[in-house]
Amino acid sequence: MENRRRAVAAASQLFRERGVNGISVADLMKSIGLTTGGFYKQFASKEALIAEAAQTAFGDLDLLLASFDTAHGDHDTARGALLDFYLSAEHRDHPGTGCPTAGFAGDMAREPTAEEVRETYAAGVEAFAEWLSDDANDGLPMVATLVGAILLARATAGTQLSEKILESTHTALTASHGSLGPSTEPPADRAP
């Protein structure tokens, strides 16, 4: 059981860092000091490991969100603190321990046969959106904005654009009505 736990923990981190196809079973097992043969004693397939690794990563996200609530006392302040963390260079530069919503996004889009993994991923995204929700929205727009911003910031890391993406997204999300979420009122030139 300890070997299985170690394999899942390593996979959870490595898949977010390098992508599902960027890490082989052999590389994964070598990273924890075990042989490839040991993998097949623990998992039916790589897909089974991916599903478990994604579930573990979203479990870690749930713990992180709960820690923000505990540390900050009220949920609005906790959401603000999460926003500060999420749109930081630290989060951008450490995808292996970062948000699984961003870390697994590309793989979920490229793996059409990964039904079990996709269901795990969708449930994790919904839970994250629920945590981010407020009276004005269900949290999905904020999840989409945060994930898009961190993916673009990672893709442009090392350039001034990367910093600008983080800063401008943070400003946009915090500016509307003095809250964290985008304004629910349409712009004047688009009003119905």
Side-chain angles (χ1 to χ4, degrees):
M1 287 309 291
E2 177 60 21
N3 289 343
R4 182 183 186 91
R5 187 202 60 75
R6 288 175 48 221
V8 170
S12 176
Q13 180 174 345
L14 291 170
F15 290 158
R16 284 181 277 172
E17 277 179 13
R18 301 182 199 171
V20 168
N21 292 322
I23 185 82
S24 69
V25 169
D27 290 338
L28 170 69
M29 297 307 282
K30 184 178 178 182
S31 78
I32 60 171
L34 298 174
T35 65
T36 304
F39 174 83
Y40 293 103
K41 291 178 184 174
Q42 300 292 331
F43 303 98
S45 65
K46 186 175 179 182
E47 288 73 26
L49 173 62
I50 296 166
E52 202 167 324
Q55 189 171 28
T56 295
F58 278 106
D60 292 344
L61 177 60
D62 290 343
L63 292 173
L64 176 69
L65 298 176
S67 75
F68 273 94
D69 277 329
T70 300
H72 297 284
D74 72 271
H75 194 64
D76 288 339
T77 304
R79 276 199 320 264
L82 176 75
L83 190 72
D84 293 344
F85 166 74
Y86 203 100
L87 296 170
S88 69
E90 177 186 354
H91 184 230
R92 177 198 61 205
D93 297 342
H94 297 96
T97 56
C99 178
T101 309
F104 284 92
D107 291 310
M108 294 303 99
R110 288 187 296 266
E111 300 291 333
T113 61
E115 186 175 327
E116 180 184 356
V117 179
R118 191 164 298 200
E119 288 175 13
T120 298
Y121 181 80
V125 171
E126 287 177 336
F128 187 29
E130 183 178 320
W131 190 88
L132 288 168
S133 69
D134 59 22
D135 294 337
N137 71 65
D138 63 5
L140 286 172
M142 188 176 283
V143 168
T145 302
L146 290 172
V147 170
I150 202 68
L151 289 174
L152 289 172
R154 286 175 178 163
T156 58
T159 70
Q160 290 180 351
L161 180 59
S162 182
E163 297 299 325
K164 187 174 181 180
I165 290 167
L166 295 175
E167 292 169 11
S168 63
T169 303
H170 189 279
T171 299
L173 288 176
T174 56
S176 299
H177 301 307
S179 69
L180 301 178
S183 172
T184 57
E185 297 177 18
D189 61 337
R190 297 170 126 193

